């Protein structure tokens, strides 16, 4: 079974910073390939939306709402995805999910809560 394990969520004040991590692991068989990886988020009462994604070669794509504030990166040797968030706003409050194409199949993490509040 492939697992995506997120960490780093929490409570932060507006204007603050937070970092998320997502580590991919597999209990049996090797991870042969990790393609595109991305972060999505879902706020209460809203649809899940793409925040940022990154290809295996490092090309990135961001939602307009987070451009200039969030940075996505990955460490292919560690099978880990990161999201550095700064200038956080109340409207960034959501459950953040990691997504990845591993061995040509799509997987989701369990989600981590990010709350931006004073």
């Amino acid at each position: 079974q492939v697992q995506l394990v997120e960490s780093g969520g929490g409570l932060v004040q507006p204007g603050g910073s937070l970092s998320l991590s997502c580590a991919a692991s597999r209990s049996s068989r090797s991870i042969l390939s990790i393609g595109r990886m991305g972060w999505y988020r879902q706020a209460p009462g809203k649809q899940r939306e793409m925040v940022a994604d990154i290809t295996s070669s490092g090309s990135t794509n961001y939602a307009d709402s987070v451009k200039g504030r969030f940075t996505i990166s990955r460490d292919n040797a560690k099978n880990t995805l990161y999201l550095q968030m700064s200038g956080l706003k109340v409207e960034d409050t959501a459950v953040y999910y990691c997504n990845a194409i591993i061995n040509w199949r799509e997987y989701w993490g369990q989600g981590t809560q990010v709350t931006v509040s004073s």
Side-chain angles (χ1 to χ4, degrees):
Q1 295 287 341
V2 171
Q3 284 188 315
L4 294 175
V5 180
E6 298 125 334
S7 60
L11 173 65
V12 63
Q13 291 186 341
S17 299
L18 208 58
S19 295
L20 304 181
S21 298
C22 171
S25 64
R26 186 162 182 159
S27 59
S28 62
R29 298 188 181 178
S30 300
I31 292 179
L32 301 176
S33 170
I34 301 183
R36 187 194 62 81
M37 303 181 80
W39 290 98
Y40 289 71
R41 67 186 181 187
Q42 187 166 19
K46 294 187 177 181
Q47 290 187 334
R48 189 174 297 188
E49 62 176 359
M50 191 276 288
V51 174
D53 63 18
I54 183 168
T55 67
S56 56
S57 60
S59 296
T60 59
N61 181 44
Y62 294 92
D64 288 342
S65 59
V66 307
K67 281 181 181 176
R69 300 187 298 122
F70 290 12
T71 301
I72 190 171
S73 62
R74 62 191 284 172
D75 185 330
N76 291 331
K78 295 181 179 180
N79 294 336
T80 302
L81 177 70
Y82 304 96
L83 185 68
Q84 176 65 42
M85 303 182 290
S86 61
L88 283 161
K89 305 176 181 180
V90 172
E91 50 264 41
D92 293 320
T93 296
V95 177
Y96 284 69
Y97 296 92
C98 174
N99 173 274
I101 306 299
I102 300 174
N103 293 354
W104 304 278
R105 292 183 62 182
E106 184 178 36
Y107 294 90
W108 290 90
Q110 81 285 357
T112 184
Q113 178 70 45
V114 171
T115 302
V116 184
S117 175
S118 56

